[in-house]
Amino acid sequence: MARTPSKFAFTLIILLSLDFAHGFYRSLSPEKMGLKKEKLSHLHFYLHDIVSGSNPTAIRVAAAPTTNSSATSFGFVAMMDDPLTEGPEPNSTLVGKAQGFYGSASQNEYGLLMVLNFVFMEGKYNGSTLSVLGRNKPYSKVREMPIVGGSGLFRFARGYAQAQNHLFNLTTGDAIVQYNVYVLHY
Ligand SMILES: *[C@@H]1O[C@H](CO)[C@@H](O)[C@H](O)[C@H]1NC(C)=O
Ligand SMILES: *[C@@H]1O[C@H](CO)[C@@H](O)[C@H](O)[C@H]1NC(C)=O
Ligand SMILES: *[C@@H]1O[C@H](CO)[C@@H](O)[C@H](O)[C@H]1NC(C)=O
Ligand SMILES: *[C@@H]1O[C@H](CO)[C@@H](O)[C@H](O)[C@H]1NC(C)=O
């Protein structure tokens, strides 16, 4: 006996096609996407920005002809793949990476444009990311940068990150930066 599609399957096909019957968009209830209650998470980790030695985690990729004569290195751009660890020691548990770039975007005082993703690799957030787009004044005690989105468990994320130097080596330029991230997500 030949199998015929069930009534259920037909209904489903009709419903799916009706969803987009009026074009390329539709409204959807948050519940349908499994979005129930927004929650607030606090993440705490240390970022290791190593610019010296034979294995730097942040490298200069671009500069303007005038960058070296600028007091703020205006025009300088570095790409980073900085380890994020649970504690401040370099051999502390790796929880993720900060991948992206920063560039000197200010002519009058030292101010960096930060464009990066926190890529988490540990615990329940393994595989999830948070995206940062903000301004970083590295010589201020506490710098705040917006969290503009996320993926995986951080879908629909928004919040802010606060960065504070734990250790800054003036000789090498290497830095260990403490991050406190407050993020709303589902
Ligand atoms: C600027 O300085 C860097 C080293 O700090 C050097 O590699 C680069 O060639 C210099 N650029 C110019 C245009 O002088
Ligand atoms: C990390 O390095 C310190 C020395 O810098 C050492 O005392 C400690 O045992 C190391 N910890 C681990 C887990 O390897
Ligand atoms: C994180 O996820 C990747 C890919 O699923 C997996 O290979 C890795 O072992 C996980 N890491 C940890 C620490 O669970
Ligand atoms: C800075 O780095 C240099 C070279 O690795 C090292 O000799 C010095 O002890 C470091 N200073 C601090 C404060 O960590």
Side-chain angles (χ1 to χ4, degrees):
M1 195 174 85
R3 287 188 61 173
T4 50
S6 69
K7 208 170 181 177
F8 171 75
F10 272 129
T11 313
L12 196 66
I13 288 163
I14 288 165
L15 278 178
L16 284 175
S17 51
L18 273 181
D19 268 344
F20 291 99
H22 300 290
F24 63 92
Y25 54 85
R26 59 176 171 149
S27 25
L28 198 58
S29 72
E31 292 75 27
K32 243 179 156 175
M33 292 283 286
L35 306 176
K36 291 185 189 89
K37 202 169 176 297
E38 202 172 35
K39 53 179 176 268
L40 179 64
S41 294
H42 175 196
L43 295 97
H44 178 254
F45 49 79
Y46 293 84
L47 175 151
H48 301 257
D49 191 60
I50 312 301
V51 296
S52 69
S54 52
N55 282 312
T57 62
I59 51 171
R60 179 181 174 126
V61 292
T66 51
T67 293
N68 286 357
S69 55
S70 157
T72 60
S73 301
F74 182 59
F76 156 89
V77 177
M79 190 64 68
M80 77 181 120
D81 185 14
D82 286 350
L84 306 174
T85 59
E86 213 165 74
E89 310 81 20
N91 61 358
S92 168
T93 304
L94 183 75
V95 298
K97 295 286 194 78
Q99 298 178 338
F101 59 85
Y102 53 84
S104 173
S106 173
Q107 289 179 283
N108 300 321
E109 54 177 356
Y110 212 70
L112 301 173
L113 165 70
M114 309 289 290
V115 183
L116 64 104
N117 294 309
F118 290 134
V119 181
F120 295 101
M121 298 167 170
E122 179 63 37
K124 69 171 174 173
Y125 294 123
N126 185 10
S128 297
T129 67
L130 284 174
S131 299
V132 175
L133 175 64
R135 181 167 193 251
N136 183 359
K137 268 173 68 180
Y139 295 112
S140 299
K141 193 168 180 332
V142 181
R143 294 90 72 176
E144 185 171 313
M145 289 158 266
I147 302 288
V148 297
S151 72
L153 290 179
F154 289 122
R155 284 174 181 170
F156 294 105
R158 62 206 162 92
Y160 64 95
Q162 284 181 323
Q164 199 165 355
N165 279 355
H166 176 74
L167 211 131
F168 180 61
N169 191 318
L170 281 168
T171 314
T172 60
D174 295 345
I176 300 174
V177 185
Q178 181 185 177
Y179 270 82
N180 278 289
V181 176
Y182 299 90
V183 64
L184 285 167
H185 61 108
Y186 289 93

